[in-house]
Each structure stands twice: as C-alpha cells, then as structure tokens.
Amino acid sequence: MKALKLIANLGYGSRKDVAAIFREGRITDANGEVLYADDQVEHANVQIDGEPLDPPFPLTLMLHKPVGYTCSTKDPGAIIYELLPHRFRLRSPLLASVGRLDRETTGLLLMTDDGALLHKIVSPRSKLEKVYDVTLARDLRGDEAKTFASGKLKLESEREPLAPATLEVLGPRQARLILTEGRYHQARRMFAAVGNHVEALHRSRIGGLTLGDLEEGNWRVLQERDLARLFAKDSRQGDEMMT
Ligand code: URA
C-alpha cells in the first residue's frame, strides 16, 4: 500500500496533514531512511518520529467500560473513544463497538474494525454467551429463572419471544444472567418484565473471554489466542484452560 494511504487510514491525520508529515521527513523505514508519500510500504517497516505505527487492520481490542460513557462516535456526553488514543477514532475502516453497552453499564466491551468478525460475534446464530452480573432494586421473587429459561418471554413491543436465557441467583438482589442474543437494553427490560429494576449491570464475559486483570477505563489489543478463547466451544472450560 502507498505510505500516505496507510498512515492516513491509521488516523494520523487527513491526507493533507499526513503529506505535511512526509515533507518534514518524519516518516522513515525501520533503518531511519526517509520515506516518501508515494512509496509502496509494509506496515511493519514504517516509523513516525522513530516510533512504530499503531496496529494495522484488522484491529480488535477489549475495553473495560466504566459508567458514564456512551458507545457512540458522537454524543454530547462522554464517549468510549475518549478512553482510547485520539487516532483510533479517525481510523478507516472505523473501529466500531461490537454491540453496545448502555451508558450506565460497565464491563467487557469489544471494539473492532473487522466487519466480518463483528458480525460473527453479534449474530444470534453464533449463540455466543454474554454474561452479566446484575444488582437489583428489589428481592428476586424466585420464579425469574424459570421465566427466562422458557423461551416464551416477550419484551414490550416485540413480536419474537426471547431465546432461553440462564439466571443464576447469587443473593436476594444479586444474580448472573447469561444471554445468547443482544436485544436493545435486553437485561434491563427482562428484569422490568418480571417486576424488578436493575440498579447495576456489569458484563463480565463474552464467549470464553473475560476482562482478566484489565482495570476499569483501560483497554488492550486482542491477540489470536484471545479470539480463540472468545469462540471456545465450552467457553468456561476454554477460559480455565488458557489462564
Ligand atoms: N442489557 C442491557 O440492558 N444493557 C446493556 O448495556 C447490556 C445488556
């Protein structure tokens, strides 16, 4: 790929901005030889100011989302892109969130610029488990797990019933909910449907992938082995095997 296109696509600036960086002689190969905008280059052999470039396409990362950030590129309030290097917002193809977490939901959020991977993760057909730790405003009644597992629960204004979901009761107001689809505000609406209210919601696992020791507000790039863990057949076993 032409050096100028490669660097502009990584979000280092518009083509005009990047052309100016070339003119300043700040873009070199790994040996420090100055490169020119039209040079055909390999990502691994290009540096800016002596530093390697940001990771190439395809880039997938996990973010430990805090409360108060919206999964959007534009919002009057705080957005998840503010937790990443500024350039990541300007990449082409776009680094998009894989599904969404509500502004008040915390936990594991994946972001990728790989459209096929995004589709594979969010598709209900892949039946990838999403695990949510839930704190409720009221005590559980006792019949929620049966209702959620029935495959018959319909959310307000929806025609299709929800796929069966698993509820593990951890305390009078604490539970773990395991979903295989991702409808709008699904966890909150499910508890509303059984007369409760979600006070706090945290996504702790997708497939076999957990946050590990990633602290709130931090992110890290996923490697091949993380993606293997994400799609591990028996996700819990996959997680244990690979830690
Ligand atoms: N379900 C919700 O209600 N909110 C989320 O953020 C994720 C799942």
Side-chain angles (χ1 to χ4, degrees):
M1 189 185 286
K2 282 202 177 158
L4 186 129
K5 185 172 181 198
L6 173 77
I7 292 170
N9 283 356
L10 290 176
Y12 284 85
S14 65
R15 285 178 178 235
K16 201 168 148 205
D17 298 334
V18 174
I21 308 177
F22 274 102
R23 283 198 297 277
E24 288 162 1
R26 291 165 52 201
I27 302 181
T28 63
D29 68 13
N31 299 317
E33 288 286 322
V34 170
L35 291 171
Y36 296 92
D38 283 344
D39 287 343
Q40 290 288 338
V41 292
E42 294 289 327
H43 176 278
N45 196 34
V46 182
Q47 300 190 337
I48 298 190
D49 298 329
E51 297 289 329
L53 297 179
D54 288 344
F57 170 88
L59 170 64
T60 302
L61 57 86
M62 67 157 75
L63 172 68
H64 187 159
K65 183 190 167 302
V67 161
Y69 288 80
T70 304
C71 295
S72 156
T73 51
K74 284 193 206 104
D75 193 90
I79 57 174
I80 49 171
Y81 290 90
E82 289 164 29
L83 300 164
L84 306 174
H86 182 70
R87 285 196 294 274
F88 282 19
R89 199 184 312 189
L90 307 173
R91 286 172 67 107
S92 174
L94 178 73
L95 185 69
S97 72
V98 179
R100 289 177 175 217
L101 290 180
D102 302 335
R103 195 158 65 92
E104 302 313 319
T105 303
T106 60
L108 176 56
L109 181 71
L110 300 179
M111 298 181 75
T112 189
D113 57 11
D114 181 343
L117 177 67
L118 189 149
H119 181 73
K120 190 172 166 195
I121 299 170
V122 299
S123 166
R125 256 189 276 167
S126 72
K127 294 207 164 57
L128 215 55
E129 291 182 351
K130 288 115 193 153
V131 180
Y132 295 90
D133 301 328
V134 191
T135 305
L136 295 159
R138 290 182 272 284
D139 286 1
L140 287 153
R141 299 188 305 221
D143 60 349
E144 294 88 347
K146 196 167 168 221
T147 306
F148 292 172
S150 70
K152 292 187 182 143
L153 179 64
K154 277 192 194 163
L155 294 177
E156 207 180 296
S157 73
E158 290 200 10
R159 282 168 55 185
E160 282 296 309
L162 295 174
T166 305
L167 185 74
E168 296 169 8
V169 177
L170 305 175
R173 296 184 184 190
Q174 297 288 333
R176 183 169 295 137
L177 178 65
I178 306 177
L179 305 179
T180 55
E181 48 185 359
R183 302 207 201 171
Y184 182 65
H185 294 327
Q186 183 169 342
R188 295 176 198 276
R189 291 164 74 209
M190 284 172 76
F191 283 100
V194 292
N196 214 319
H197 176 77
V198 171
E199 282 211 328
L201 191 60
H202 174 85
R203 183 156 67 192
S204 55
R205 178 163 69 78
I206 303 176
L209 200 60
T210 60
L211 286 161
D213 54 10
L214 189 70
E215 295 198 358
E216 202 168 81
N218 288 353
W219 60 276
R220 74 171 175 85
V221 172
L222 296 193
Q223 310 295 337
E224 278 302 317
R225 67 195 166 94
D226 296 306
L227 295 177
R229 184 185 293 203
L230 175 65
F231 291 110
K233 268 262 162 353
D234 181 340
S235 51
R236 269 168 282 203
Q237 194 188 10
D239 203 36
E240 275 157 26
M241 281 183 330
M242 297 182 85
T243 38

